[in-house]
Amino acid sequence: MAAVNKLVGSLAKRNLVARVQNSKYDGYRLTYGGYDYLAMRALSKRDSIHSVGNQIGVGKEAGKCSTVRVLPVCRTALMCYYSTDVYVVADEQGNEMVLKLHRLGRISFRAIKEKRDYLGKRKSASWMYMSRLAAQKEWAFMKVLYDHQFPVPRPIDQARHCIIMEAIDAYPLRQIADVPSPGKLYSSLMDIIVRFARAGLIHGDYNEFNILIRRENGEPIVIDFPQMVSTSHENAEWYFNRDVECIRRFFKRRFKYESALYPRFSAIKASDDDKEGQGFQLDVVVAASGFTKKDQKILEEYTETVTGEEYRDNDGASEAEEDTDTGEEEDDEAMVK
């Protein structure tokens, strides 16, 4: 027993576990640092990673990130309850990749357990469980999208709450001050939204934070898929319209570009109904790949529980907040011309 206590104490000193003392329990719990270690060890044993480099990004929803500001209209459905850490990693041959660690948090799970019955036999919920589901969902969608030639990073491996993907020489759209042809880029981004929808998917957080522009040719790459939903989702049209509006508002504000042409969800659905029975739906393919509808429901209900109706309540305030954002944006970001 003494040896066990010594080992646990050693883990606690390294912040891999943390002491828990209350009226019902006296012991230790796994920390995110410990969860990181378990995931990294699994990836290392599979020879997916050999070394870890610098941190290159923090998810825009991370509560402690002060260098990136989120535009009110484009806040993700997971808002401040969902964040990520991003690092450069390399394999044994020195090939650089990107490691993304999902970290869900910021609210009490008591409210979720009181309102939802989706935990099944699980007597308690944890951020690690939800973070793992978020990573599994992103991995499943990214793999299916990449296999079907969508403009997304190449997925390499996944373990627990971590995903490894290819490193792309690109700038986030939010950091680009000017482009040769705003109309061409606008059309490309709207075409991607339509292509997603025709495949049965809606990105759900399609904005300048989750779009990269390749340095070599200016082509867009889409990232960040934990919030993706099916076109059969009950709120599909709302998510679709929000994705479209995020792009329209960003182009109007940043590039002074406006277009009367933009996709409508109803038109796409009508077109799909006319072609019923042809082709296949990627949301169905994802479910068949291992990320089940039950997993999807757990993550979606978690999202809905922690966010409620905030987006709908804030629609009227978005314009006023956007005005204050415009003047500060360039001070917060390193702009690329």
Side-chain angles (χ1 to χ4, degrees):
M1 188 65 180
V4 172
N5 288 335
K6 184 177 180 180
L7 288 173
V8 173
S10 178
L11 294 174
K13 287 180 180 179
R14 293 168 172 80
N15 294 320
L16 301 179
V17 297
R19 187 72 180 268
V20 176
Q21 286 183 300
N22 53 46
S23 59
K24 296 182 179 180
Y25 184 78
D26 184 4
Y28 292 84
R29 63 173 177 80
L30 186 66
T31 65
Y32 257 128
Y35 203 45
D36 291 349
Y37 176 82
L38 292 174
M40 301 286 279
R41 178 172 172 79
L43 294 169
S44 178
K45 290 179 70 174
R46 297 203 289 258
D47 294 325
S48 294
I49 61 172
H50 181 71
S51 59
V52 179
N54 295 331
Q55 185 172 4
I56 59 174
V58 179
K60 65 178 181 297
E61 302 82 11
K64 295 182 180 180
C65 181
S66 60
T67 59
V68 177
R69 300 184 67 254
V70 184
L71 304 183
V73 70
C74 296
R75 284 173 182 155
T76 177
L78 297 182
M79 218 175 68
C80 63
Y81 312 104
Y82 170 70
S83 65
T84 59
D85 291 334
V86 184
Y87 291 84
V88 174
V89 297
D91 59 20
E92 198 166 2
Q93 289 72 42
N95 300 311
E96 289 190 350
M97 302 167 291
V98 171
L99 171 69
K100 180 176 180 180
L101 300 94
H102 291 257
R103 305 190 190 284
L104 274 68
R106 310 291 186 269
I107 67 162
S108 169
F109 254 108
R110 182 178 300 173
I112 297 175
K113 288 185 285 186
E114 287 175 352
K115 296 180 181 179
R116 302 292 178 178
D117 191 33
Y118 58 68
L119 294 175
K121 296 181 179 179
R122 298 179 66 92
K123 295 182 179 180
S124 65
S126 77
W127 300 124
M128 296 172 193
Y129 171 59
M130 303 305 295
S131 296
R132 176 171 61 82
L133 282 185
Q136 288 176 335
K137 178 178 179 180
E138 180 160 35
W139 168 261
F141 276 90
M142 192 187 305
K143 193 171 187 306
V144 169
L145 290 169
Y146 182 83
D147 289 344
H148 289 84
Q149 290 77 53
F150 279 80
V152 302
R154 176 174 62 89
I156 296 173
D157 202 353
Q158 182 260 327
R160 291 183 170 87
H161 63 312
C162 299
I163 294 176
I164 298 178
M165 66 191 82
E166 69 171 320
I168 298 175
D169 186 15
Y171 294 111
L173 179 59
R174 73 177 188 273
Q175 292 182 356
I176 296 178
D178 193 21
V179 293
S181 176
K184 180 180 179 181
L185 180 58
Y186 174 90
S187 296
S188 296
L189 295 177
M190 291 300 182
D191 287 345
I192 293 173
I193 291 179
V194 172
R195 190 179 171 200
F196 276 145
R198 293 201 185 285
L201 299 172
I202 299 169
H203 186 278
D205 195 18
Y206 195 76
N207 57 61
E208 67 272 24
F209 291 92
N210 293 325
I211 297 169
L212 307 178
I213 304 299
R214 286 187 182 272
R215 188 197 301 261
E216 59 181 0
N217 56 19
E219 293 297 318
I221 298 292
V222 184
I223 61 173
D224 199 15
F225 308 103
Q227 63 290 317
M228 215 164 202
V229 299
S230 168
T231 50
S232 60
H233 189 279
E234 60 180 354
N235 296 320
E237 184 169 4
W238 184 80
Y239 285 114
F240 181 91
N241 291 340
R242 190 180 68 179
D243 281 356
V244 171
E245 194 62 19
C246 279
I247 299 302
R248 296 186 70 208
R249 294 198 186 193
F250 176 75
F251 271 72
K252 178 181 178 181
R253 182 178 67 252
R254 178 62 58 82
F255 305 126
K256 312 304 179 190
Y257 177 86
E258 293 185 71
S259 174
L261 301 176
Y262 57 92
R264 272 79 165 179
F265 185 76
S266 57
I268 294 173
K269 287 294 291 181
S271 175
D272 289 345
D273 291 343
D274 292 340
K275 300 177 181 178
E276 189 174 0
Q278 300 181 22
F280 58 93
Q281 297 290 285
L282 291 186
D283 54 340
V284 177
V285 177
V286 169
S289 72
F291 190 81
T292 65
K293 288 185 177 180
K294 179 182 178 182
D295 295 331
Q296 177 90 343
K297 181 180 179 182
I298 290 174
L299 207 53
E300 286 180 1
E301 291 192 347
Y302 160 77
T303 301
E304 292 169 3
T305 300
V306 297
T307 60
E309 298 297 317
E310 178 164 349
Y311 290 105
R312 296 171 178 81
D313 294 341
N314 284 346
D315 280 346
S318 293
E319 291 290 346
E321 293 182 21
E322 184 181 332
D323 291 340
T324 63
D325 179 82
T326 304
E328 302 171 358
E329 201 173 65
E330 295 189 6
D331 294 333
D332 290 341
E333 301 168 359
M335 306 296 287
V336 178
K337 294 184 177 181

